[in-house]
Structures are given as structure tokens and as C-alpha cells.
Amino acid sequence: MSSHVRILGIAGSLRRGSYNQAALRAAKLLVPENSEIDLFQLDDIPMFNEDDEKRPPSSVLELKKRIRRADALLIVTPEYNYSIPGVLKNALDWACRPQGDSAWSGKAAAIMGASPGAIGTARAQYHLRQILVALNLFTLNQPEVVIADAAHRFDENGNLIHEPTKQLIRELLKNLVDWTRRISPTPESIPASSTATARHPLSGGAPA
């Protein structure tokens, strides 16, 4: 890979005033030198239907193209009922299908999340980590960015105003960039025969 690291940022919330969308916008301003965050909105991704996976809609094709173009991923999730929102899980499923054509596999990733609650998105992030293992994403372990009490971390315009949180996001992004450079092979080191397909996370024999 080149020395410039391209990160694709995805927030698992469609709400206009989402704290997680705001956290992702803040991260875009806090990236280290020689890196950038490109944002992708999930608004136009339809519900996954296995009947359509070989003829996916244009929004899914664009998502997969943007994932493949990125060197790393930053996924920002709310917490709904102790887990991640359906809109995020739906996008994760779409971009790993059809079997053998996952856009996620082998990418470096970092996660974070924001919530008005006292424990932030800790439970949702734990579930998300489990899902990313199935997708063969290499997720950064530390720091854990769990933004609690979000109503007091952002102003009325959605700007992050809490300096300790800004510093934690800076550290997360620095570690993500370092991790990406560490695990990403240079083009000349990839053997031409490296086309083996691993067992797909949604493959279970009979159609669901």
C-alpha cells in the first residue's frame, strides 16, 4: 500500500441529529497526517435479500466499491437493545455477499460509538467485534472509544466539544493508521495465486 492511508467511515445511524454521525464527522477532522476519512451514508441501502445478492442494487455496488478502495475502516455504532442497529448489520451482510465476493475481508478496522447513556455503546461494540471476526476484518483492540453522556460531549450543532474524547479519537485513528500499515501487504508481496475463498460467514448450506 502507499504511505497515504484511506479510511472509509460508516455510522450505523440514519438519524439526522445522530451523535454517532457527529462522532464520525469529528473523526474526519482528527486524522493523522498522510491519512484521510471518506464518509459513506447507509440511507439508500435496502434490506438484504439473498434472492438479489447476485444482482445487487446500485447503492450496494457503490458501498462495496468504496470499501475495496479504502485501506481501512472506521465503524461508528449506536447501541440498540444491547446490540448494533439493524441498518448497520444489514450493510455488513450486503457487502459480504455473494459467497466469495466479500468486500470486507482482510481490511484493518476500528470501532467506536456514542450514546446518551452512562456506559456508552460498550455492549454494542462487543457484539460488533464478534461480527467483524466472522467477516475476517482485523479490528484494532485499543483504545476503546465508548462515548457516554453524549448530550454533554457535543454542542447543539453536533460539534464534539469534549477535549478528552477528541484526544481518545486521535489516539484511535493514529493506532488504526499504524495498524493498517503494519498488516497491509505491498502489492509486490501478494502472490498471483492468492485467490482461495474462505468459508463465508453467511454460508450455511441451505438458503435462509
Side-chain angles (χ1 to χ4, degrees), residues 140-160:
L140 191 69
N141 289 327
Q142 294 180 351
E144 293 183 298
V145 181
V146 181
I147 307 172
D149 194 23
H152 296 97
R153 303 291 186 257
F154 299 87
D155 67 17
E156 63 276 7
N157 297 314
N159 299 307
L160 181 60

Side-chain angles (χ1 to χ4, degrees), residues 38-55:
D38 182 27
L39 307 184
F40 187 89
Q41 301 292 329
L42 299 179
D43 305 58
D44 297 327
I45 304 293
M47 291 302 295
F48 175 73
N49 184 338
E50 194 171 349
D51 290 339
D52 299 328
E53 66 175 19
K54 293 184 179 177
R55 299 178 304 278

Side-chain angles (χ1 to χ4, degrees), residues 110-183:
I111 64 177
M112 63 182 193
S115 168
I119 64 169
T121 57
R123 293 168 295 208
Q125 290 194 37
Y126 178 68
H127 277 192
L128 181 56
R129 286 181 183 277
Q130 293 175 302
I131 295 166
L132 300 189
V133 168
L135 296 176
N136 196 38
L137 279 162
F138 300 122
T139 308
L140 191 69
N141 289 327
Q142 294 180 351
E144 293 183 298
V145 181
V146 181
I147 307 172
D149 194 23
H152 296 97
R153 303 291 186 257
F154 299 87
D155 67 17
E156 63 276 7
N157 297 314
N159 299 307
L160 181 60
I161 57 174
H162 189 246
E163 287 302 324
T165 299
K166 286 184 180 181
Q167 186 54 40
L168 202 58
I169 293 174
R170 286 190 189 96
E171 183 182 349
L172 178 75
L173 294 174
K174 179 183 181 302
N175 288 358
L176 176 61
V177 168
D178 292 344
W179 176 233
T180 302
R181 289 176 176 145
R182 179 178 175 185
I183 70 169

